[in-house]
Amino acid sequence: HCLLELFDIIPNDISKTKTYKKQILKVEKQIIAKTKDTAKSLFSLHRKILHIKTTCSNLKLLFSKKITVDKERHDIANAIKPSLHVYIPHLQEKGVHINVKEKNTKNINMNFEYFEAAMVPLLDNTLKYILHDSTLHIYFKNSEEGFIINFDMISMAITKEEEEDIMKYGFSGINAKKNQKNGKGIGMTTIKDSLKVNNAKIKFENNVNGRREKRYKNTTYERNIFKII
C-alpha cells in the first residue's frame, strides 16, 4: 500500500519527459508539492521493510530443523531502539507518548536478529491495540524470574476467557475482531518462537489495576503489561 502511495507521487506522464534530468526535476516538484504525503509514505515504507526483514528471519526459524545463531552482548535499552524508532511516528500519530526509562538496563548475551524479530510484532500489536492519547511505558526490572523488559500500556481489554488463548496460533480476541484489528493471529506465536532463540519468553499481566480504565469508540481498555523475561 505504501509503495502505491509513492508511485502516486511520480507523475504518470513521466516517460514523456525526454531527458533524465528533466524527469528528476518533475518528480522533485511533485515531492515539494506533496511533502506531507511523501513523508508519511516513507515512514510506512520504513516499517514495511522492517516487517519483511523480520518475516524472513521468522521463516528461516520456521523451516530450519535446527538453527545455530551467534550471540553477542548488547545493552538491552539500545537493542530496543532501532525497532522502536521505526514505530515512534506511527504511535505519535495516535497521540501516544513513549516513555523509555533506561534505569536498570543491562548487557545481555543474545542474537540481535531474533531479538528484533520478536520486537517488531510486539510493537505492531502495541500500535494496533494501545489507547489513543495514552502513554507507552518501557522499563526494566530485575526479579526472581530474571531480567524483565516491561511494555506497560492502556490497551484493549483481554477477557478472562481469552487469557489462556492469547499465545495460541491463529487466536484473535473479541475486542480485536469487533474493531476489525485482528490479523492472522500469529503475532504472539512469532514473538514466543523468536524469543526462544535467546532463551527468553513472553508473559503478560492483564487488567493490572483490577479495573477497566477507559472506554473509547465503544471498546473497553485496561492496563496491560507485556513482559519479556
Side-chain angles (χ1 to χ4, degrees):
H1 177 66
C2 55
L3 284 173
L4 292 174
E5 287 174 357
L6 281 175
F7 291 151
D8 287 343
I9 294 163
I10 300 170
N12 291 327
D13 61 349
I14 192 75
S15 59
K16 294 177 184 177
T17 309
K18 291 181 180 179
T19 67
Y20 179 69
K21 189 176 180 180
K22 286 182 178 178
Q23 287 176 353
I24 293 292
L25 287 170
K26 198 166 188 177
V27 173
E28 188 180 355
K29 284 179 183 176
Q30 280 289 100
I31 290 169
I32 291 166
K34 297 182 176 182
T35 49
K36 188 176 180 181
D37 290 340
T38 305
K40 288 175 83 171
S41 295
L42 288 171
F43 278 139
S44 295
L45 184 60
H46 193 188
R47 182 159 63 101
K48 293 296 180 187
I49 289 168
L50 185 61
H51 259 284
I52 292 165
K53 180 185 169 188
T54 54
T55 299
C56 289
S57 298
N58 288 315
L59 286 171
K60 189 165 63 176
L61 185 63
L62 183 66
F63 291 108
S64 298
K65 290 181 181 177
K66 189 177 181 181
I67 192 158
T68 305
V69 295
D70 295 322
K71 294 184 179 181
E72 296 177 1
R73 296 198 77 78
H74 293 270
D75 176 84
I76 207 71
N78 289 334
I80 287 169
K81 287 175 184 176
S83 304
L84 181 62
H85 286 170
V86 173
Y87 279 84
I88 282 173
H90 305 284
L91 288 162
Q92 288 176 335
E93 192 178 8
K94 287 184 75 170
V96 174
H97 174 68
I98 299 96
N99 178 28
V100 182
K101 292 182 180 176
E102 296 192 24
K103 186 182 176 182
N104 299 325
T105 188
K106 190 174 183 178
N107 281 317
I108 302 285
N109 193 43
M110 67 178 185
N111 177 271
F112 180 78
E113 178 187 350
Y114 283 100
F115 178 76
E116 187 176 59
M119 284 298 99
V120 170
L122 179 56
L123 288 166
D124 209 48
N125 280 352
T126 300
L127 177 62
K128 280 200 289 186
Y129 303 129
I130 195 167
L131 178 67
H132 281 67
D133 302 312
S134 64
T135 301
L136 168 63
H137 299 277
I138 301 173
Y139 53 93
F140 314 102
K141 276 187 176 182
N142 284 296
S143 75
E144 291 179 4
E145 289 184 278
F147 180 73
I148 303 176
I149 310 165
N150 296 276
F151 289 78
D152 190 334
M153 69 193 84
I154 306 297
S155 57
M156 284 186 186
I158 300 162
T159 68
K160 282 283 180 189
E161 294 75 23
E162 293 172 333
E163 285 179 23
E164 290 183 13
D165 295 328
I166 196 168
M167 298 291 178
K168 290 180 181 176
Y169 182 87
F171 178 79
S172 291
I174 292 167
N175 278 319
K177 289 175 182 174
K178 186 171 80 173
N179 288 273
Q180 297 181 322
K181 289 183 178 286
N182 56 309
K184 294 178 181 176
I186 60 174
M188 295 303 288
T189 307
T190 301
I191 296 165
K192 189 171 65 173
D193 291 344
S194 299
L195 288 173
K196 268 185 194 174
V197 176
N198 284 310
N199 301 313
K201 60 185 177 181
I202 186 163
K203 291 176 73 175
F204 79 99
E205 250 182 87
N206 70 311
N207 199 15
V208 174
N209 295 338
R211 65 176 186 272
R212 303 308 192 197
E213 297 283 345
K214 298 270 184 181
R215 294 279 295 174
Y216 178 80
K217 290 189 175 179
N218 207 31
T219 300
T220 304
Y221 288 76
E222 64 190 11
R223 185 182 172 202
N224 296 314
I225 306 176
F226 292 84
K227 302 180 174 188
I228 294 175
I229 303 170

